[in-house]
Amino acid sequence: MPHHTVYEAKIEHLQILDEDGVLDKKLAKDTLSDDQVVYLYEQMRVCRELDEIAFKLQRSGRMGTYPQNKGQEANAVGSALAMVKGNDWIVPSYRENAALFMHGMPMHYVIQYWMGDERGSKFPEGVNITPLSVPIGTHMLHATGIAWAFKQRKEADRAAITYFGDGATSEGDFHNAMNFASVMQVPCIFYCQNNSWAISLPREQQMNSATVAQKALAYDMPTIQVDGNDIFAVYKATSDARKRAIEGGGPSFIEGVTYRLADHTTADDARRYRDQSEVDAWLEKDPLIRTRKYMESVGVWDDKKQEELESRAKTIVKEVVDAAISVSTPTASEFFDDMYAELPDDLKIQRDTMRTTSIGRNPSQIGLSAQHQNA
Amino acid sequence: MPHHTVYEAKIEHLQILDEDGVLDKKLAKDTLSDDQVVYLYEQMRVCRELDEIAFKLQRSGRMGTYPQNKGQEANAVGSALAMVKGNDWIVPSYRENAALFMHGMPMHYVIQYWMGDERGSKFPEGVNITPLSVPIGTHMLHATGIAWAFKQRKEADRAAITYFGDGATSEGDFHNAMNFASVMQVPCIFYCQNNSWAISLPREQQMNSATVAQKALAYDMPTIQVDGNDIFAVYKATSDARKRAIEGGGPSFIEGVTYRLADHTTADDARRYRDQSEVDAWLEKDPLIRTRKYMESVGVWDDKKQEELESRAKTIVKEVVDAAISVSTPTASEFFDDMYAELPDDLKIQRDTMRTTSIGRNPSQIGLSAQHQNA
Amino acid sequence: MAEQTLVGAITSTLDQALARDPDVILLGEDIGVNGGVFRATEGLMATHGEDRVVSTPLDETGIMGTAIGLAIAGMKPIPEIQFEGFLGPAYDQFVNHAARMRTRTRSAVTVPMTVRVPVGGGIHAPELHSDSPEVIYAHSPGIKVLMPCTPYDAKGLLNSAIKDPDPVIFFEPKRVYRTFKEEVPDEYYEIPMGEAKVVSEGEDLTIVTWGAPVFQCLEAIDNLPEDVSVELIDLRSIYPFDMDTVAESVCKTGRCVIVHEAPLTGGFGAEIAARVMEECFLHLEAPVQRVAGFDTIMPYYKLENEYLPEAPRILKGITECLAY
Amino acid sequence: MAEQTLVGAITSTLDQALARDPDVILLGEDIGVNGGVFRATEGLMATHGEDRVVSTPLDETGIMGTAIGLAIAGMKPIPEIQFEGFLGPAYDQFVNHAARMRTRTRSAVTVPMTVRVPVGGGIHAPELHSDSPEVIYAHSPGIKVLMPCTPYDAKGLLNSAIKDPDPVIFFEPKRVYRTFKEEVPDEYYEIPMGEAKVVSEGEDLTIVTWGAPVFQCLEAIDNLPEDVSVELIDLRSIYPFDMDTVAESVCKTGRCVIVHEAPLTGGFGAEIAARVMEECFLHLEAPVQRVAGFDTIMPYYKLENEYLPEAPRILKGITECLAY
Ligand SMILES: Cc1ncc(C[n+]2csc(CCOP(=O)(O)OP(=O)(O)O)c2C)c(N)n1
Ligand SMILES: Cc1ncc(C[n+]2csc(CCOP(=O)(O)OP(=O)(O)O)c2C)c(N)n1
Ligand SMILES: [Mg+2]
Ligand SMILES: [Mg+2]
């Protein structure tokens, strides 16, 4: 056969709840109940509040660099709801706060973490979340590995989900994670929050492809592009992917098309590289606005509930911040003690003496007074 | 638009000269002249001879590990002919000997190299070939960079080609090279010799995708799968890609479907992991056999020419081996002298004294006799 | 009890680990049906199944990264990297994730894994098949670094590594994979990490080394005049490392030669030399000498013996140190 | 002549290099319109065009690997890696390709490039934004490693690096990017690599350091009794490094303290300590002391000052060394 087609593929886009809060009823079938919608809306709203307070904490010098989630919350909550808390694993980047909270991470941990304290990543037993990943694009392999362990142990009811940005897809480890997952056919979901920017680089300069979703074609991995500001579409795509995963159908890819409404982090100033007009256009697609519109249209939400939620959010976040601020100051020994299950002697000496020279490890040999040693 | 298609693609397979040496005349239009076919056949045949002698050299202990090219030669010669010698750059793996010879690499260099001598990679001025790449899958980025330089300098008539195996596509650097090339739209051709195996790993366990060619869809890169044992298809795909490249159309991907007829290297024993029946089936698709059949069918080849070529190949290869063996023994100072353009003092001392301790760098300070220093 | 080569001892130790613990999983390039390019996993897939001895795609990043995930989920992965030169693509996952997961989560998430890697020169292999990068990992906190060079030590240290709750890199000096056999007990035993071995006792000078050079040192010692008595220490464990044994010996002999294949500058020999000075200052009768690889790329095989610290060069180091 | 900060001196040096040589090309994440996260390339894209100051995809492997290709083809790439912690993905390309291309081809193919990398702690940054991996590269043959800490030195060494025909890694101590200004000549000048700088002269003890700790050392010296005179050496160039200056100083003072941010074990301080012993053995009155980062992961910012070798810890090291 001289000239023939050996492979064909296409990428579908899914939107169920549009920018105006209008739902496609047919597509919405078997997705979210109204109660669930309200729940997810509340999660998003609280997360938004946290973002704003975190921003203020940073600006007033009480917190280091912090990456806001603003505008992207639907990706986190819609997908997190499709995963099973305490059973599945979440391997996050750093812009999915709401997903982490929904899966049991105490809210103040995230503040404590960004205040420069590793204990904010010491999640309680039973919370199946890996720590926020500072090196971009490198953590998805851990999700592949975790999902591989499920398969290996025949824990047929478990899946892993990993979140990452559009920028993260440029790292080699993205490719490695996708290839291993597809070769091993592990129950893993790759969720890309395509928020159009990686710090100052627009998506079009990050990659040459029309969509992020098509990157999965390289691995014959089921893939879909969804409106990432639409909790219905996000939920549906993730549930479908999870169902496929636990039924032995292997990994899936989801591109959530969304937008980073805030600066990259509090250390960034997005006005240097993007037009306000672009931001304004996306402000109208805000998941909170459209979800609220939908809830109001079906009569499960009104201004009173909104007011009540806003004040509740304030209270929650205030408590969260108080909790984060009131944790004890870490001590230097902490960064020694958690280096290894059991500390090598040499490191014990470093910890106990806060010295890095081994003079005096054996005072008799070097003739220094013992008192001198421990000074 | 709730549910719609945002991307569509397909992969085409091209074969022009089939297993029986029958040519598809329509597809063959504007490809190879009969003279060129004869030339490429000769290149392949000489290369095959070299392979066999190299194998014997290794078995008789006169050479280290060597990777045979056997069965894959059409990929090398067909693509090399489409590139412009002394103008374009070639960034090879280690299974494209014929391409390197066609682009000016003295044949004995390859033997000298595999005999454990870096001077086999010191290509003469004007030979635009990077050294064989030992770390798999990592060199393609250099082709991307070289092609980027062409674009940057507006050397509009130049392109780079890089060769790699099916196994190499699993490395992260493959993804990086493809993404950079497509984002920067550089004149680079990615040629994957899919020979079904990476040492003992069959292609189906290397990747989950139906083709290698579809990996380029992740980057919206023009891509094609060709019969890699068909010099016409290989030549055509590469010429098309080169034309696109120098006309500003950016990078292209070519998957040459071929087969490694020999062991992975002389250190390998493929009987441990693959069936002879598979090898036998591919022996029939040998590019040398089908090219010869074609040449005979159009009357440009006969047994006499074949005999003559075979004896010429023997002579050439004998001379090559003699040349490789007769080069001077390298001296230890060589591996110092080419470390830096100018050797740091410390390294000069190491070279001159063949010592790695700095005792005595300044004899007056340490009280060793000068004579002691240089012992 | 049976006579085993180094590689044989590794194979049987892995075999026992797979049999003992269902959470143990081996992954790496060509380790399945092919038994690995050095045959270190020969037969293990047949015995334990292809889901426990897994030939992976050609991707060291992926091997290391998925091993981290496996470990997080409670497995005990034993990845193999085919040659030390191919640790490059796995470097970031290893030092920036595996090594940091525990401290990053204050011990909530841990990464028990043993990365097996053939190491060092002397087998006439191509470029990037003969290096000695141990100090890179010894300098990276959160990792343990081992390099046994005898079958007995290999089994004991590999068992300790597999049992350890933290990431261990286990270097196997490929040059001595099959050079000799020794008795290795069939039953399970451990050798604690961080304990050096005194290979031979002596009074005049201490040699500290690890990996294949142990045997070049023995050869050098054999060529010394009878009246010179050298104490030879095989560090075995590069991190943690056993300064007690080293310091005690050097305080006794007053002289020290360090031998390693890796380049001199910034090699682990520098650390040992610095510590010896710190801990034996008043006992030292000569500066510590380092007989090491040169600060060059390990040359391709025609010249590799010029590069490696072979016996004559070690002998010269000893002689000069004694003459100081 | 104008007063410039460290980062300002780097920006203007890059500006001049771009203006001087059409083959110079800058590539890195966010270095274009955004001017880099530390603003080291501020304004350069506007001046020189977006094909010469290129914001690349988020991919350090790609940045390093394409830079190698650019260099092979005759360009002079100056890649920026955003933080030293992200050298991980670029590691393999750098040490296994850039550093080896010359020797691999016996100088037929070369890789002139200068990799710029902000380095070190002290700015309250997240994990992997505060490390000091200089020894990793100093131990990797084929690379030159620089770490200037003043605006004047930065310009002179950056010029030398860009001119150099081989790969150079140019570490910029981010902690002092903007802490002070000094006079930097407008015109082109070079400072040779491999020359240390004597920051202050003294008789009683030598401090050897590099990078931001130079300033913590100065602070420590300020707090010493008036009658103690310390010679402070800023190594500036880690490979090649200037043992002449160090050895001469220690042979004079008889005592040496080495200060660096990287973890102690296997840090470059070990090499300096080992060499000092080798070259100043008969002059040493005390063991060389190393005041360094601990053998732990650099903690997140609440504890980073406990980790860093700050002035009090340096002071203690000096005092103990003098008291020996
Ligand atoms: C390996 C690595 N390189 C660079 C950085 C610096 N950095 C932090 S976030 C970021 C952009 C990430 O973009 P994207 O993946 O799209 O995620 P987003 O921030 O948009 O959510 C960069 C370059 C990093 N953290 N890790
Ligand atoms: C980074 C790296 N990992 C592993 C190896 C060992 N190795 C050498 S060749 C090879 C298989 C290569 O397969 P492929 O890319 O398909 O090329 P082929 O040999 O089939 O031509 C492997 C695993 C290597 N050289 N480099
Ligand atoms: Mg993004
Ligand atoms: Mg192959």
Side-chain angles (χ1 to χ4, degrees):
Chain A
M1 275 199 299
H3 206 190
H4 63 283
T5 301
V6 282
Y7 177 77
E8 274 182 286
K10 57 183 177 181
I11 302 295
E12 303 286 321
H13 178 95
L14 179 68
Q15 185 195 59
I16 303 181
L17 181 69
D18 76 9
E19 284 85 342
D20 301 321
V22 181
L23 194 72
D24 184 315
K25 293 243 171 62
K26 224 176 96 198
L27 291 174
K29 198 166 162 293
D30 295 332
T31 59
L32 299 172
S33 70
D34 285 344
D35 280 356
Q36 287 177 316
V37 174
V38 170
Y39 169 67
L40 296 188
Y41 181 71
E42 291 173 346
Q43 297 300 316
M44 292 197 288
R45 186 60 192 77
V46 172
C47 188
R48 182 75 58 98
E49 182 72 23
L50 187 80
D51 249 20
E52 272 163 33
I53 299 301
F55 182 82
K56 286 186 190 149
L57 283 171
Q58 193 276 339
R59 283 296 187 269
S60 61
R62 283 180 292 164
M63 193 161 83
T65 305
Y66 173 85
Q68 286 187 270
N69 293 204
K70 189 177 177 190
Q72 304 184 204
E73 298 91 342
N75 298 277
V77 300
S79 57
L81 190 69
M83 304 303 291
V84 181
K85 180 177 164 182
N87 175 71
D88 295 343
W89 267 83
I90 298 195
V91 179
S93 173
Y94 50 76
R95 241 183 260 284
E96 305 78 29
N97 285 346
L100 312 188
F101 303 151
M102 286 169 66
H103 279 254
M105 173 183 170
M107 281 181 75
H108 71 273
Y109 275 47
V110 75
I111 299 294
Q112 192 180 347
Y113 173 76
W114 291 110
M115 282 182 165
D117 184 349
E118 286 88 348
R119 292 172 303 172
S121 296
K122 187 186 173 75
F123 304 144
E125 185 82 40
V127 173
N128 295 342
I129 306 177
T130 56
L132 275 64
S133 181
V134 169
I136 297 295
T138 58
H139 58 290
M140 295 92 93
L141 270 165
H142 310 160
T144 300
I146 289 170
W148 185 357
F150 296 157
K151 187 181 180 191
Q152 185 71 8
R153 292 177 148 163
K154 307 206 168 39
E155 298 171 346
D157 212 31
R158 302 181 76 179
I161 188 169
T162 179
Y163 297 94
F164 51 94
D166 43 312
T169 66
S170 291
E171 293 283 356
D173 298 33
F174 163 72
H175 173 66
N176 307 134
M178 296 283 286
N179 190 50
F180 256 78
S182 63
V183 167
M184 303 296 168
Q185 286 289 297
V186 301
C188 185
I189 303 168
F190 293 88
Y191 196 105
C192 179
Q193 291 205 52
N194 168 10
N195 65 1
S196 293
W197 292 91
I199 308 187
S200 71
L201 199 73
R203 196 195 68 85
E204 306 76 52
Q205 290 177 41
Q206 189 71 247
M207 61 191 78
N208 185 53
S209 58
T211 66
V212 182
Q214 79 202 61
K215 296 193 179 298
L217 301 180
Y219 319 94
D220 269 357
M221 192 189 289
T223 178
I224 190 169
Q225 185 186 67
V226 303
D227 180 337
N229 289 1
D230 165 2
I231 51 174
F232 288 86
V234 169
Y235 175 77
K236 168 134 181 58
T238 315
S239 315
D240 289 352
R242 186 176 185 283
K243 187 157 181 290
R244 194 161 39 234
I246 63 173
E247 286 173 355
S252 298
F253 188 88
I254 301 169
E255 171 189 1
V257 180
T258 185
Y259 194 79
R260 197 194 78 209
L261 288 175
D263 292 335
H264 169 66
T265 63
T266 47
D268 179 50
D269 177 3
R271 288 168 307 181
R272 294 173 64 93
Y273 53 78
R274 74 181 182 185
D275 284 342
Q276 188 55 34
S277 62
E278 183 183 294
V279 182
D280 290 342
W282 276 93
L283 274 169
E284 288 172 19
K285 301 185 191 176
D286 188 326
L288 271 70
I289 298 177
R290 75 170 83 168
T291 309
R292 181 173 168 186
K293 276 188 186 156
Y294 167 74
M295 293 190 302
E296 288 174 349
S297 77
V298 295
V300 297
W301 200 255
D302 56 25
D303 287 354
K304 203 173 139 259
K305 287 194 169 150
Q306 180 71 19
E307 261 169 50
E308 192 270 332
L309 171 61
E310 283 177 15
S311 93
R312 186 147 44 95
K314 283 207 166 56
T315 313
I316 293 172
V317 171
K318 198 186 163 310
E319 282 168 18
V320 161
V321 172
D322 287 349
I325 287 175
S326 67
V327 296
S328 57
T329 311
T331 57
S333 68
E334 273 185 28
F335 67 78
F336 289 96
D337 290 338
D338 290 300
M339 279 306 299
Y340 296 92
E342 208 192 317
L343 224 52
D345 288 345
D346 201 44
L347 211 43
K348 277 191 201 140
I349 296 172
Q350 290 187 16
R351 178 194 60 192
D352 296 344
T353 64
M354 288 303 278
R355 297 157 50 125
T356 52
T357 197
S358 61
I359 289 183
R361 222 171 53 91
N362 184 342
S364 73
Q365 286 186 1
I366 63 158
L368 275 183
S369 72
Q371 164 204 357
H372 209 130
Q373 302 320 309
N374 302 318
Chain B
M1 276 200 296
H3 206 190
H4 62 284
T5 301
V6 282
Y7 177 77
E8 275 180 284
K10 56 184 177 178
I11 303 295
E12 302 287 320
H13 178 95
L14 180 67
Q15 184 195 58
I16 303 181
L17 180 70
D18 75 11
E19 283 85 341
D20 302 319
V22 180
L23 194 71
D24 183 314
K25 294 244 172 62
K26 223 177 92 196
L27 291 174
K29 196 165 163 295
D30 295 331
T31 58
L32 299 172
S33 69
D34 285 343
D35 280 357
Q36 287 176 316
V37 174
V38 170
Y39 169 66
L40 296 188
Y41 181 72
E42 291 173 345
Q43 296 302 315
M44 292 197 287
R45 187 60 192 76
V46 172
C47 188
R48 183 75 59 97
E49 183 72 22
L50 187 79
D51 248 21
E52 272 162 32
I53 299 301
F55 181 82
K56 286 185 191 148
L57 284 171
Q58 192 276 340
R59 282 297 188 266
S60 62
R62 283 180 292 164
M63 192 161 83
T65 306
Y66 172 84
Q68 288 187 270
N69 293 204
K70 189 177 177 190
Q72 305 184 203
E73 297 92 340
N75 298 277
V77 299
S79 57
L81 190 70
M83 305 302 292
V84 180
K85 180 176 164 183
N87 175 69
D88 296 342
W89 268 83
I90 298 196
V91 179
S93 175
Y94 50 76
R95 242 185 260 283
E96 305 79 28
N97 284 346
L100 312 188
F101 303 151
M102 285 169 65
H103 278 256
M105 172 183 170
M107 280 181 76
H108 71 274
Y109 274 48
V110 76
I111 299 292
Q112 192 180 347
Y113 173 76
W114 291 110
M115 283 182 165
D117 184 348
E118 287 88 346
R119 292 173 303 172
S121 297
K122 187 186 174 79
F123 304 145
E125 183 81 39
V127 173
N128 295 342
I129 306 177
T130 56
L132 274 63
S133 182
V134 170
I136 297 295
T138 59
H139 59 288
M140 296 91 95
L141 270 164
H142 309 160
T144 301
I146 289 170
W148 185 357
F150 296 157
K151 187 181 179 192
Q152 184 72 7
R153 292 177 147 160
K154 308 207 167 41
E155 298 170 346
D157 213 30
R158 303 181 76 180
I161 188 169
T162 180
Y163 297 94
F164 50 95
D166 45 312
T169 66
S170 290
E171 293 283 357
D173 298 34
F174 163 71
H175 173 66
N176 307 133
M178 296 284 285
N179 190 49
F180 257 78
S182 63
V183 166
M184 303 296 168
Q185 285 290 297
V186 302
C188 185
I189 302 169
F190 293 88
Y191 196 106
C192 179
Q193 290 206 52
N194 169 11
N195 66 359
S196 292
W197 293 91
I199 310 187
S200 70
L201 200 73
R203 196 196 67 86
E204 306 76 53
Q205 290 177 42
Q206 189 72 246
M207 62 192 75
N208 185 52
S209 57
T211 67
V212 182
Q214 78 201 62
K215 296 193 179 297
L217 301 180
Y219 319 94
D220 269 357
M221 192 190 287
T223 178
I224 189 170
Q225 185 186 66
V226 303
D227 181 337
N229 289 0
D230 165 3
I231 52 174
F232 288 86
V234 170
Y235 174 76
K236 168 136 180 62
T238 315
S239 314
D240 289 353
R242 185 176 186 283
K243 186 158 181 288
R244 196 162 36 237
I246 62 173
E247 286 173 356
S252 298
F253 188 89
I254 302 169
E255 172 189 0
V257 180
T258 186
Y259 195 80
R260 197 194 78 209
L261 287 175
D263 292 336
H264 169 67
T265 63
T266 47
D268 179 50
D269 177 4
R271 287 168 307 181
R272 295 173 63 94
Y273 52 77
R274 73 180 182 186
D275 283 344
Q276 187 56 34
S277 62
E278 183 183 294
V279 182
D280 290 342
W282 276 95
L283 274 169
E284 289 172 18
K285 301 185 190 176
D286 188 327
L288 271 71
I289 298 176
R290 73 171 83 168
T291 308
R292 181 173 170 187
K293 277 186 186 157
Y294 167 75
M295 294 189 301
E296 288 173 350
S297 75
V298 295
V300 297
W301 201 255
D302 56 26
D303 288 354
K304 198 170 143 263
K305 289 196 167 147
Q306 180 73 19
E307 263 168 49
E308 192 271 330
L309 171 60
E310 281 176 17
S311 94
R312 186 149 42 94
K314 282 205 167 55
T315 314
I316 292 173
V317 171
K318 199 187 161 311
E319 282 169 17
V320 162
V321 172
D322 287 349
I325 287 176
S326 69
V327 296
S328 59
T329 312
T331 57
S333 68
E334 272 185 28
F335 67 78
F336 289 96
D337 290 338
D338 289 301
M339 278 306 300
Y340 296 92
E342 209 192 315
L343 223 51
D345 288 345
D346 202 43
L347 211 44
K348 276 190 202 142
I349 296 172
Q350 291 187 16
R351 177 193 61 192
D352 296 344
T353 65
M354 287 304 277
R355 299 157 47 127
T356 51
T357 198
S358 61
I359 290 183
R361 223 172 50 92
N362 185 340
S364 73
Q365 285 184 0
I366 62 158
L368 278 180
S369 72
Q371 165 204 356
H372 208 130
Q373 303 320 309
N374 301 320
Chain C
M1 201 84 153
E3 293 240 306
Q4 289 189 319
T5 58
L6 178 61
V7 72
I10 287 162
T11 310
S12 64
T13 306
L14 293 172
D15 188 25
Q16 292 177 357
L18 283 158
R20 196 171 54 241
D21 184 351
D23 286 333
V24 167
I25 177 171
L26 272 52
L27 61 161
E29 294 159 14
D30 303 291
I31 69 164
V33 59
N34 201 33
V37 293
F38 286 108
R39 309 280 176 257
T41 53
E42 173 103 58
L44 299 183
M45 191 191 91
T47 313
H48 302 280
E50 58 184 20
D51 58 336
R52 299 197 60 207
V53 180
V54 185
S55 278
T56 66
L58 204 177
D59 167 13
E60 294 77 14
T61 316
I63 293 167
M64 192 67 85
T66 55
I68 293 172
L70 285 161
I72 289 175
M75 305 282 297
K76 289 225 148 218
I78 308 182
E80 171 182 300
I81 300 295
Q82 208 159 65
F83 284 88
E84 74 294 316
F86 310 139
L87 277 166
Y91 173 80
D92 189 50
Q93 283 290 339
F94 195 47
V95 307
N96 288 340
H97 277 305
R100 289 170 177 255
M101 207 54 90
R102 176 186 288 279
T103 184
R104 183 182 285 164
T105 65
R106 293 294 182 251
S107 295
V109 177
T110 57
V111 182
M113 63 147 94
T114 302
V115 186
R116 293 183 39 250
V117 196
V119 75
I123 64 156
H124 275 207
E127 195 206 340
L128 285 165
H129 290 65
S130 304
D131 292 334
S132 296
E134 66 274 11
V135 72
I136 306 284
Y137 301 95
H139 180 64
S140 301
I143 298 168
K144 290 175 179 160
V145 185
L146 307 177
M147 200 191 289
C149 71
T150 67
Y152 182 87
D153 286 356
K155 177 167 181 174
L157 281 167
L158 185 52
N159 278 331
S160 296
I162 296 170
K163 194 172 154 194
D164 198 84
D166 289 309
V168 178
I169 188 160
F170 187 86
F171 285 113
E172 304 169 1
K174 58 179 95 90
R175 186 178 188 174
V176 292
Y177 258 154
R178 296 170 198 282
T179 44
F180 70 101
K181 289 190 175 192
E182 74 179 2
E183 293 287 331
V184 177
D186 294 332
E187 61 279 9
Y188 181 90
Y189 63 97
E190 293 170 17
I191 295 176
M193 295 183 251
E195 288 190 7
K197 182 169 73 176
V198 179
V199 179
S200 69
E201 293 190 16
E203 303 298 324
D204 302 330
L205 179 144
T206 305
I207 298 182
V208 182
T209 188
W210 52 91
V214 165
F215 301 97
Q216 278 73 56
C217 290
L218 283 169
E219 191 188 327
I221 293 172
D222 270 354
N223 284 295
L224 279 171
E226 289 239 329
D227 60 337
V228 180
S229 133
V230 169
E231 185 140 308
L232 176 62
I233 296 178
D234 175 2
L235 211 54
R236 299 193 296 194
S237 180
I238 317 291
Y239 192 88
F241 59 106
D242 183 356
M243 266 315 290
D244 286 339
T245 299
V246 171
E248 199 183 312
S249 174
V250 180
C251 286
K252 176 180 73 179
T253 63
R255 297 175 196 268
C256 179
V257 172
I258 299 166
V259 181
H260 59 72
E261 288 189 17
L264 175 77
T265 295
F268 199 68
E271 183 63 39
I272 300 290
R275 299 269 182 142
V276 162
M277 168 178 43
E278 290 169 10
E279 303 201 12
C280 315
F281 189 69
L282 302 180
H283 303 262
L284 272 181
E285 286 166 45
V288 177
Q289 301 234 4
R290 289 178 289 161
V291 180
F294 298 103
D295 290 331
T296 70
I297 300 299
M298 151 73 85
Y300 201 177
Y301 69 78
K302 276 211 173 158
L303 292 175
E304 75 172 328
N305 289 342
E306 306 291 325
Y307 177 91
L308 290 168
E310 299 290 87
R313 199 140 68 83
I314 297 168
L315 201 56
K316 201 198 244 178
I318 297 173
T319 316
E320 288 181 7
C321 190
L322 287 169
Y324 188 89
Chain D
M1 199 85 152
E3 293 240 304
Q4 289 188 319
T5 57
L6 178 62
V7 72
I10 287 162
T11 310
S12 64
T13 307
L14 293 172
D15 188 26
Q16 291 177 356
L18 283 159
R20 196 170 54 239
D21 184 350
D23 285 333
V24 167
I25 177 171
L26 272 51
L27 62 160
E29 294 159 14
D30 304 291
I31 70 164
V33 58
N34 200 34
V37 293
F38 286 107
R39 309 282 176 255
T41 54
E42 173 102 56
L44 298 183
M45 189 189 95
T47 312
H48 302 280
E50 56 184 24
D51 58 335
R52 300 197 59 208
V53 181
V54 185
S55 278
T56 66
L58 204 178
D59 168 13
E60 294 77 14
T61 316
I63 293 167
M64 193 67 85
T66 55
I68 292 171
L70 285 160
I72 289 174
M75 305 284 295
K76 288 226 147 218
I78 309 182
E80 173 182 300
I81 300 295
Q82 209 161 63
F83 284 87
E84 75 293 315
F86 311 138
L87 277 167
Y91 173 81
D92 189 50
Q93 284 289 340
F94 196 48
V95 307
N96 288 339
H97 277 305
R100 288 170 178 255
M101 207 54 92
R102 177 187 289 278
T103 185
R104 185 183 284 164
T105 64
R106 292 293 181 251
S107 294
V109 177
T110 57
V111 183
M113 63 147 94
T114 302
V115 186
R116 294 184 37 250
V117 196
V119 76
I123 64 156
H124 274 205
E127 196 205 340
L128 285 165
H129 289 65
S130 303
D131 291 334
S132 296
E134 66 274 11
V135 72
I136 305 285
Y137 302 96
H139 180 63
S140 301
I143 298 169
K144 290 175 180 161
V145 185
L146 307 178
M147 201 191 289
C149 70
T150 68
Y152 182 87
D153 287 356
K155 177 166 182 173
L157 281 167
L158 185 52
N159 278 332
S160 297
I162 295 170
K163 193 173 156 194
D164 198 85
D166 289 309
V168 178
I169 187 160
F170 187 85
F171 286 113
E172 304 169 1
K174 58 178 93 92
R175 186 179 189 172
V176 292
Y177 258 155
R178 294 169 201 285
T179 45
F180 71 101
K181 291 190 173 188
E182 73 179 4
E183 293 287 330
V184 178
D186 295 332
E187 60 279 9
Y188 182 89
Y189 63 97
E190 292 170 18
I191 295 176
M193 295 183 252
E195 288 190 7
K197 183 169 71 175
V198 179
V199 179
S200 69
E201 294 190 16
E203 303 298 325
D204 302 329
L205 179 145
T206 304
I207 299 183
V208 183
T209 187
W210 53 90
V214 165
F215 301 97
Q216 277 74 57
C217 290
L218 284 169
E219 192 188 327
I221 293 172
D222 269 353
N223 284 294
L224 280 169
E226 289 238 328
D227 60 337
V228 180
S229 132
V230 170
E231 186 140 308
L232 176 63
I233 297 178
D234 175 2
L235 211 55
R236 298 193 295 194
S237 181
I238 318 292
Y239 192 87
F241 59 106
D242 184 355
M243 265 317 287
D244 286 340
T245 298
V246 171
E248 200 183 310
S249 175
V250 180
C251 287
K252 175 179 73 179
T253 64
R255 297 176 197 267
C256 179
V257 172
I258 299 166
V259 180
H260 60 71
E261 289 188 19
L264 174 79
T265 296
F268 200 68
E271 184 63 37
I272 300 290
R275 299 270 181 142
V276 162
M277 170 178 42
E278 291 169 10
E279 304 201 12
C280 314
F281 189 69
L282 301 180
H283 302 263
L284 272 182
E285 287 165 43
V288 177
Q289 301 235 2
R290 290 179 288 160
V291 180
F294 298 103
D295 289 333
T296 69
I297 301 298
M298 151 71 86
Y300 200 178
Y301 69 78
K302 276 210 174 159
L303 292 176
E304 76 171 328
N305 289 342
E306 307 290 325
Y307 177 91
L308 291 167
E310 298 291 85
R313 199 140 69 83
I314 298 168
L315 202 55
K316 203 198 241 175
I318 298 173
T319 315
E320 289 180 6
C321 191
L322 287 169
Y324 188 90

